[in-house]
Amino acid sequence: MKASAKAPSNIAFIKYWGKKDPKINLPENGSLAVCLDGMGTVTTVDFSDQYEADSVVIDGQTENIELGRVQKHIDLIREMAQINTSVKVISQNSFPHSSGLASSASGFAALSMAGAKAAGLDLDQKQLSILARHGSGSAARSVPDGFVEWYQGKDDQSSYAYSMFPPDYWDLAAVAVLVTKQKKDVSTTTGHSLTSSSPFYQTRLAGIPNRIEQMKQAIKERDIEKFGQILEEEVLSFTAVNLTLNPYVLYLEPATIQVMKLCQKLRDEGLQAYFTFDAGPQPVVYCLGKDVAEIAKRLGQTEGVIQTIVNHPTVGTHLTDEHLF
Ligand code: DP6
């Protein structure tokens, strides 16, 4: 059977950094994020006896894709559905290929929903979030709508994401900024595995529950200033850990720092702009929807910035009739 799903990416406010159980992507801490409409993935999955072997194409490519991880995820879906049928998977990202902008989140969320449906599984949103988490932890957060929380959980079934607020709850916007097209040298998975080597990691973990509560309150109150302060405090704590790993990991490029400085300058001018980034050099600037055009323009004029992508909160992963084959 054939099915297609469309999934948004999500950029975390409070980061998932470190795994309690890497086999099932059980995180060391809970996290918060919002699903974003400017960077997504559409995936079509077809299980059929007409295929002699599995085939996977991502953005028109069969090589230099994370085939092993995708294959493992398809095997998990087959095991859940108790089928042995071969599969054809075609997946398309809406953002520049290998840009280093969140692709595993939307990719594994779309693959999970389309794959489960095509395999004849009937999963609810919680079960889909758990399945997506197995593919990539952050994919758990791309399943529900809008502003999401991923519960850390104690085991496989208690670690999943749910929607705290729908996408239209708050007119927040995010400008994703491309500052390099080079592939990052340290993968996110390696970063996760090194976390305990930082002397600051336990201190970071100890502060997360309180930071999550404060951040949820800021979102609830739609308080951009409070939101922004916690956002930056969080990504700087994440960076402090990364700079003190053994061996250390420096994800930032000079242009990333230019963007961090620009945010402070924009705030001095009265525009509320706040930075974050994931395990890579591409910053994401959060602001209010009313200011996003001006802020994207200023970011575009910054030295070292190649491209900007404007995003708004959006719905989570859903089935679509736009099949790719
Ligand atoms: C820094 O979900 O990409 O972006 O579970 O190994 O696939 P895997 O890791 P991934 O980690 C994301 C880490 C982060 C922070 C975040 O998105 O919360």
Side-chain angles (χ1 to χ4, degrees), residues 17 45 53 69 72 108 127 136 147 188-189 202 204 215 220 223 226 244 247 259 265 275 283 290-291 298-299 301:
W17 203 225
V45 179
R69 256 171 113 180
K72 205 173 136 219
F108 279 99
Q127 291 167 319
S136 177
F147 295 81
T188 304
T189 306
Q202 290 307 324
R204 164 175 165 75
M215 186 54 122
K220 191 173 167 202
D223 183 338
K226 187 163 158 188
T244 50
V259 169
K265 190 160 180 283
F275 61 81
K290 69 177 179 62
D291 297 331
R298 296 288 293 275
L299 285 163
Q301 292 164 348

Side-chain angles (χ1 to χ4, degrees), residues 12 15-16 19 25 69 104 136-138 141 188-189 192 278-279:
K15 311 287 173 188
Y16 148 50
K19 304 183 188 187
N25 291 334
R69 256 171 113 180
S104 68
S136 177
S138 53
R141 296 187 309 239
T188 304
T189 306
H192 280 293
D278 284 344

Side-chain angles (χ1 to χ4, degrees), residues 10-19 22 24-26 29-33 66 69 102-105 108 132-141 150 184 187-190 192-193 204 234 238 242 251 277-280:
N10 72 81
I11 300 290
F13 309 144
I14 305 292
K15 311 287 173 188
Y16 148 50
W17 203 225
K19 304 183 188 187
I24 59 168
N25 291 334
L26 189 67
N29 61 272
S31 55
L32 303 179
E66 289 197 75
R69 256 171 113 180
S103 63
S104 68
F108 279 99
R133 193 200 76 227
H134 279 261
S136 177
S138 53
R141 296 187 309 239
W150 171 11
K184 58 187 175 193
S187 77
T188 304
T189 306
T190 306
H192 280 293
S193 71
R204 164 175 165 75
E234 161 65 3
F238 166 77
N242 295 334
Y251 286 118
F277 37 82
D278 284 344

Side-chain angles (χ1 to χ4, degrees), residues 80-134:
M80 287 167 75
Q82 303 196 322
I83 57 171
N84 296 312
T85 331
S86 292
V87 74
K88 176 172 174 176
V89 177
I90 295 195
S91 187
Q92 197 67 43
N93 290 308
S94 72
F95 44 92
H97 185 72
S98 335
S99 64
L101 286 166
S103 63
S104 68
S106 56
F108 279 99
L111 179 64
S112 297
M113 184 172 276
K117 178 78 180 169
L121 289 167
D122 185 19
L123 304 184
D124 62 20
Q125 193 177 78
K126 172 179 162 184
Q127 291 167 319
L128 267 171
S129 176
I130 292 170
L131 174 60
R133 193 200 76 227
H134 279 261

